[in-house]
Amino acid sequence: MRFTNTARLSAAIALSSLMTLPGIVSAQQAGDWLVRVGAATVAPDESSKVLTTQATGPLAGTGVGVNNNTQVGLNVVYMMSDHLGLELLAATPFEHDLSVDGLSQYNFMTTDLGSTKHLPPTVSALYYFNGPAARLRVYAGAGLNFTTFFSEKLSPQARTELAADRLKLDDSWGWSASVGADFRFDDTWTISGAVRRLDISTDASLDSALGRITTSVDIDPWVYMLSVGFMF
């Protein structure tokens, strides 16, 4: 089936109508704000060095794992121009369970290490590829992340079997990269989706029956966020 010139023209007009907002003053232009609130999932893509103890040195075959967590995400974008925005990412504290692998070969059955909370405030510059009148605005961003860890807790299993105490994870500075899109229903409300990669590395330590245990963990999570936005 072939499309006539009239059909092609009608399709082009329909697509144009979908992607622009006629009659509405340009939104997300210089000086405007966009506040997004939604669900943010931190999915670590972690790797760690082996555990090292004061008594034995490196324990070959061991490592630390970090599980996923979802919290309320918040970010604020200030449009410095029609195409360039400055974004601050925040959230309620993420809480991750920590696991430890490979201790069974050393006659320890502990796999549940404990948990930690963290906050990863991130500042990014966003570049919007299409114009401020577009209904769908796609962007890419890059920035700087600071992650602070707190409320570290050891599991009862780790406390009992390893005589563990004083779990500590150091804070981290790293880069951030993101891609996302805002779909505008009108000149006030949007629905937004974004994928972000954070560079997060930490040195972890705890006291135990084998002396001080240390390791380094590259958490490097993917962060997925679906949110509703309010523009003003």
Side-chain angles (χ1 to χ4, degrees):
M1 177 179 177
R2 294 186 177 179
F3 290 102
T4 65
N5 290 336
T6 302
R8 292 192 186 98
L9 179 59
S10 298
I13 292 172
L15 180 60
S16 176
S17 298
L18 177 64
M19 299 303 294
T20 60
L21 295 173
I24 295 178
V25 175
S26 295
Q28 287 184 289
Q29 60 188 349
D32 285 349
W33 293 84
L34 172 61
V35 179
R36 307 186 188 104
V37 179
T41 297
V42 172
D45 183 21
E46 79 279 8
S47 62
S48 76
K49 293 184 178 180
V50 300
L51 303 182
T52 299
T53 79
Q54 287 180 320
T56 65
L59 299 177
T62 59
V64 174
V66 185
N67 80 330
N68 298 357
N69 189 242
T70 300
Q71 293 292 333
V72 176
L74 169 67
N75 59 51
V76 179
V77 179
Y78 174 70
M79 297 302 298
M80 296 183 291
S81 73
D82 287 354
H83 289 272
L84 188 63
L86 183 65
E87 177 193 58
L88 173 64
L89 172 70
T92 54
F94 293 95
E95 183 170 7
H96 298 276
D97 292 332
L98 306 175
S99 60
V100 58
D101 300 320
L103 289 180
S104 60
Q105 61 187 314
Y106 301 101
N107 298 318
F108 294 103
M109 296 299 105
T110 300
T111 57
D112 179 8
L113 184 60
S115 64
T116 186
K117 294 182 179 180
H118 84 273
L119 285 171
T122 303
V123 176
S124 300
L126 307 181
Y127 182 80
Y128 285 86
F129 293 98
N130 41 2
R135 187 182 289 269
L136 179 66
R137 300 205 71 191
V138 178
Y139 64 84
L144 180 66
N145 163 258
F146 171 71
T147 300
T148 181
F149 296 92
F150 57 96
S151 297
E152 298 98 326
K153 296 180 180 179
L154 286 160
S155 69
Q157 186 183 25
R159 287 185 176 276
T160 300
E161 187 178 16
L162 301 178
D165 192 19
R166 295 196 299 176
L167 174 64
K168 175 63 177 174
L169 279 72
D170 292 342
D171 294 342
S172 169
W173 289 91
W175 53 263
S176 168
S178 61
V179 292
D182 300 322
F183 182 84
R184 294 197 287 145
F185 293 102
D186 53 30
D187 60 350
T188 302
W189 295 100
T190 71
I191 185 169
S192 303
V195 178
R196 189 184 307 266
R197 177 76 163 185
L198 298 180
D199 172 31
I200 301 177
S201 299
T202 183
D203 292 328
S205 61
L206 59 94
D207 291 333
S208 77
L210 299 175
R212 195 71 171 159
I213 298 178
T214 60
T215 188
S216 296
V217 185
D218 293 329
I219 301 175
D220 297 342
W222 292 97
V223 182
Y224 307 98
M225 185 169 175
L226 183 65
S227 58
V228 174
F230 178 79
M231 297 181 295
F232 60 96

